[in-house]
Amino acid sequence: MRLALEPFGHFYYLPMIVAVMVTALLGRRLSVLLAIGLSITANELMVQREDALDSAVNAALFAAVSWTIAEVCRRLGGALRTARALSRDLAMREMLLDTILTSVPVVTLDREGRTQRVTPAAAAVLGVRRDEAMALPFHTLVPGFDDLALESARQGGEVLTPSPGSWTVSRADASPVPLTIHANVLPDDIWPEHVVLALADQSQAEAIRQRERDLTERLNNVWRLNSMGEMAATLAHEMNQPLTAAAVYLHAGQADLAKIGPAAEEAARALDLARIQLLRAGDIIRRMRELLSTGSRTFTEERASQMIQDLAPVFTLIGRDTDVVIDIDADTEDDHVMADRIQLQQALANLVKNAVDAAMGREDGRVLITGRSLGPEGYEIAVEDNGRGIPMDQRESIFHPMTSTKAGGMGLGLSVTRSIVESHGGALTVGSSRLGGAAFTFRLPHRSELDAA
């Protein structure tokens, strides 16, 4: 460089370019200008120039060359810093990706459908070791994943099974695992991996759905039995009176036949037999009424809040089907009561169904289930809605059997519900809700109160 600049004069600034380069790498442009200025001043003081023109030419050349070199150094430094930042970001992203892939079931396949990469989570879902799954045709791990399924995976999105249902993997312990599979296709320049499959274990979701179906079926069975029992009690009550009247008429007929004399003995004997059978039928109905009204129930210690929360999946399905929001707010403190769990849950489910029916059709249909401990007074459960409410003159009659405010209703729901609540030592009442509709409330006594009763 010095030889190239010699035609312009004796160039003695070359040792000072190093100082300018260091300043450019460590400081800002102002520092570079200061370094150039100090270098020119020092050179003028130490080097004897021929004339002012030589001094000015050399200073200008030094300033131009050193500034250019300084800018190059600054840009190189900036590029190095950017490269280090990108390296750190890339390392962080790679660590994050490795963490995600460790916890997410992912399998990659080549173009022939053989496994190329299996994450630990995917190996756990498939029930195999990672080294065993490598380079195997995927259909040996997931039965039914044939060429058609592989072609569907190349299209991306969810890979559906050939028949209705979900993909199933049989683990070594013989437990079937339902799966859903979503696929994405890698760019063509990535080899040998071609398709990425994301596996989702549906075992827990299927177990929850099965529990919801079982609970719904159990509640429906109890509901039907309670409805039949309430209907039987009503029929027994209504039939008892005509049977008693018939017995009285038969007795009167026997008295009239006795006045006739021996000629009417056969007819009187027949009437007496009929009267005995009527009295026997009345005794059967009376015993049935006693069984239905005071029949024994099995009460166990339960947590009222837990009984409410156990119905949350059923209420979620009801709300989803009817577009009504069902909220639960149950205190867990001091909520131990003695109850027949299934009976009480059926009563609560019936109240919620009625509240949902009342709130249906509104844009903001809502049902609120609350549970509060009242201390010595027991645990109070309320079901509220924002429907039209219940008029004051109907708030007592709606509990009567065969009375319904709904078209097509049998009029047994609230009657059965009230009977269940009363059998637990409580009372079912109806009032106005803070949501704008009706509020059905009942209290359950604590264990000590029920034992004392």
Side-chain angles (χ1 to χ4, degrees), residues 323-325 359-366 386:
D323 200 26
V324 173
V325 177
M360 281 178 60
R362 298 177 60 93
E363 294 182 357
D364 58 342
R366 185 186 177 201
N386 62 346

Side-chain angles (χ1 to χ4, degrees), residues 207 209-219 221:
R209 286 193 289 267
Q210 185 60 43
R211 285 182 57 192
E212 292 174 352
R213 290 192 291 267
D214 292 343
L215 182 58
T216 301
E217 182 177 358
R218 289 172 60 190
L219 290 176
N221 289 338

